[in-house]
Amino acid sequence: MLENSSTRRNFTKEPSTAAQYSPPPSLKKRVTITRSTFRDWPVFTLAPETSSGKQALYLHGGAWAAEIQARHWNLVADLAVGTSRTFVVPIFPLVPAVTHRDITPVLTDLWLATAQEVPTALVGDSSGATMALNLLVALAEGSPAPDATVLLSPTFDLTFANPESARIAPHDPLLKLDHIRALAASYAGPDGPDSALVSPVHARVDHLGAITVFTGTRDLLNPDAHRFADLARDAPGTQVTVEETAGVVHDWMLMPIPEAKTTRAHIARLLR
């Protein structure tokens, strides 16, 4: 399982400090928080007071470049309490210090260590949701499968070439195509953003289990959610459900708005 260690992460740039990525102290009133390490990555475990015995691995968003924020931690605490699952949250290195080649193998090993003995869900938002799907594709046959996969505002195509995305882009107040395209290319590294290793629309879509995708119509990533569902429609062993909310933006479920409360309750129902 996870290794207890104080080893610092060795990046090509100064790593984030513990104060930048640690859960807000206020969460200790709601969940029990423990810290460990896995392959020199800090890993936090948030456990509810009453546990179902199930777990979830959560991967945070931030366009592969931004550290986990308080809003991510609040979502995780809400879901831990609302589902009675223990959530495992790794603090992974960020671009430009790394590419997916540094991330996916470690995530795969962390998944195997986490999900070996108890039912475990796979949850991520934004770029973290894409990383979760990259992980799912990378799992070897016979590996423990998630009992649920929930993807919140994921990126399915790191080239962002869908003309429908370009049509929505002027109406998306959060995501800027040129900016996220550059960060995605950095994460893809020498394999390129159209590689099946990073872009799920170019990867295999069979035997991925039940996947629920949450997407908003004011998110320029929205068209590719439907594109991915279409690709997987007839794939054996895969069921993709797209839960679309009209008029909301990227990662709205992390925001202090009424639609977020409704969506969090829906996610919790899926994970219970």
Side-chain angles (χ1 to χ4, degrees):
M1 292 299 289
L2 306 185
E3 310 148 13
N4 289 314
S5 168
S6 59
T7 306
R8 287 177 59 88
R9 294 178 289 169
N10 183 21
F11 303 153
T12 57
K13 68 173 183 178
E14 188 64 24
S16 302
T17 65
Q20 290 174 303
Y21 59 67
S22 296
S26 60
L27 293 191
K28 293 180 181 179
K29 299 176 182 178
R30 305 170 59 199
V31 292
T32 299
I33 302 172
T34 57
R35 174 178 166 164
S36 57
T37 62
F38 187 86
R39 306 285 174 82
D40 295 344
W41 292 8
V43 178
F44 290 90
T45 301
L46 279 63
E49 183 177 355
T50 303
S51 174
S52 66
K54 296 182 179 182
Q55 298 184 125
L57 178 66
Y58 178 85
L59 306 180
H60 74 83
W64 303 277
E67 194 54 271
I68 191 169
Q69 300 177 14
R71 59 181 185 159
H72 297 110
W73 287 120
N74 287 326
L75 172 65
V76 171
D78 272 359
L79 293 178
V81 172
T83 66
S84 298
R85 286 182 186 254
T86 295
F87 274 70
V88 178
V89 184
I91 307 300
F92 42 80
L94 306 167
V95 300
V98 296
T99 72
H100 75 96
R101 293 184 181 185
D102 304 291
I103 299 296
T104 303
V106 182
L107 284 180
T108 302
D109 288 345
L110 176 60
W111 171 261
L112 295 175
T114 302
Q116 200 67 246
E117 298 179 359
V118 300
T120 305
L122 186 57
V123 185
D125 79 274
S126 191
S127 57
T130 308
M131 292 163 62
L133 196 46
N134 296 157
L135 160 63
L136 195 56
V137 171
L139 289 176
E141 185 177 354
S143 298
D147 66 337
T149 298
V150 178
L151 308 179
L152 313 177
S153 297
T155 301
F156 287 103
D157 183 358
L158 272 65
T159 70
F160 306 95
N162 192 329
E164 284 299 298
S165 294
R167 182 184 62 79
I168 295 173
H171 309 287
D172 185 333
L174 294 182
L175 301 182
K176 304 304 177 186
L177 267 176
D178 289 346
H179 181 62
I180 58 172
R181 188 177 280 127
L183 293 174
S186 181
Y187 186 72
D191 295 300
D194 59 348
S195 168
L197 299 172
V198 293
S199 282
V201 295
H202 298 299
R204 68 174 180 87
V205 293
D206 61 295
H207 300 291
L208 300 180
I211 299 171
T212 305
V213 179
F214 286 83
T215 182
T217 59
R218 292 186 67 197
D219 184 348
L220 65 84
L221 306 179
N222 171 271
D224 281 332
H226 296 283
R227 179 183 171 197
F228 180 77
D230 288 341
L231 289 171
R233 191 175 309 281
D234 298 320
T238 301
Q239 306 85 41
V240 178
T241 301
V242 177
E243 297 288 351
E244 182 175 84
T245 300
V248 295
V249 298
H250 183 76
D251 256 3
W252 80 93
M253 64 290 295
L254 275 65
M255 300 175 181
I257 57 176
E259 293 88 347
K261 184 177 180 180
T262 301
T263 300
R264 290 187 188 207
H266 189 170
I267 297 167
R269 287 194 298 272
L270 289 172
L271 295 176
R272 277 198 291 267

